[in-house]
Amino acid sequence: SELVRTAWSSASSFRGTDYRGGANGARLRLAPQRTWGANDASEIDRVLGVLEGIQNDFNDRNSRRNVSLADLIVLGGAAAIEHAASEGGFEIEVPFVPGRSDASQSETDVDSFAVLEPTSDGFRNYFGGGNSRSPAEMLIEKSALLELTAPEMAVLVAGMRVLDANADGSSHGVFTATPGVLNNSFFVNLVDMSIVWSRSSIEAIYEGRGRDSNEVEFTATPVDLIFGSNSELRAISEFYASDDAKESFVNDFVAAWTKVMTLDRFDFDS
């Protein structure tokens, strides 16, 4: 989950409106992106420390070919997803194309990059203060910036939840008994009619209770439940919740994930 969060924090800064942001440059390790509210600075420090050790070891042993930290951040996310899919019974390969480079702090205008900071990221169930629109509306805006279709948005949210990749390690929307395993459990439990949803005592948080036991099985945010209440997203959810869509879900998640990881790769056709 840490590798997935780190890769997402890096690549999902891309904006299709002005083509800024993205994983290229590895600016996640630089100010101001390193300390954005949606990112966990201490976790990023820990993960990047490990990746930098791998980078140094590889580069010390290869005089003719070096690897950038920008590439390793994306590759780490890919490796984590492959492992998570394997734990769920699917052997897959997440596409990866190297070629990213690392920017320096002197090449990064802090004030200019500060305006890219997300105040909301529904894919990580993050909703900061000062937003005038709802979490669900902000999710749609984030998806538009990432040039995602409705099904791509749906599988990414569902996959990020079961991979336990929420900001701050929150358990909201993690509709699975096996966090860290890539499967369609988010959709299965979302449309399960044996679970009754109602508001909790905490603002903007909902409880999913067993219809018979009345025990709380899951908690959710409005972003999670929009996939069950909106008619178009409900249809997508029911498709991926079916028993014969398990492999399709994994493959579609990988395709959508790869799309986000390569949005800023203008040097090749993704």
Side-chain angles (χ1 to χ4, degrees), residues 2 16 23 40 74 80-81 95 103 164 169 186 207 209 213 240 243 261:
E2 292 182 348
D40 185 335
V74 174
I81 290 169
D164 204 13
F186 174 89
E207 294 176 339
R209 294 178 178 269
S213 67
Y240 284 114
D243 286 341
M261 293 299 115

Side-chain angles (χ1 to χ4, degrees), residues 47-61 69 72:
V47 173
L48 294 188
V50 173
L51 294 180
E52 286 169 349
I54 295 171
Q55 178 192 25
N56 293 334
D57 181 61
F58 180 88
N59 292 347
D60 287 345
R61 292 185 288 107
L69 187 62
L72 275 179

Side-chain angles (χ1 to χ4, degrees), residues 2-33:
E2 292 182 348
L3 288 168
V4 169
R5 267 193 298 269
T6 300
W8 182 266
S9 298
S10 182
S12 69
S13 60
F14 181 83
R15 304 194 309 187
T17 49
D18 54 12
Y19 303 105
R20 298 185 64 197
N24 205 358
R27 286 188 166 86
L28 181 66
R29 76 194 196 286
L30 306 174
Q33 191 170 345

Side-chain angles (χ1 to χ4, degrees), residues 4 8 81 84 121-125 139 143 148-166 170-191 221 223-228 233 236-241 245-246 248-250 252-254 256-257:
V4 169
W8 182 266
I81 290 169
D121 184 352
F123 296 94
R124 287 180 283 176
N125 239 343
L139 170 68
S143 298
L148 298 172
T149 65
E152 288 171 338
M153 176 184 72
V155 294
L156 279 171
V157 168
M160 295 279 282
R161 294 294 188 273
V162 297
L163 290 172
D164 204 13
N166 280 343
S170 165
S171 62
H172 301 317
V174 184
F175 303 156
T176 179
T178 56
V181 177
L182 184 60
N183 56 36
N184 65 341
S185 292
F186 174 89
F187 292 122
V188 171
N189 289 303
L190 177 68
V191 302
T221 68
V223 166
D224 302 310
L225 297 189
I226 194 67
F227 290 93
L233 297 179
I236 294 170
S237 299
E238 290 181 349
F239 169 79
Y240 284 114
K246 294 178 180 179
S248 293
F249 168 75
V250 172
D252 291 352
F253 173 82
V254 169
W257 173 271

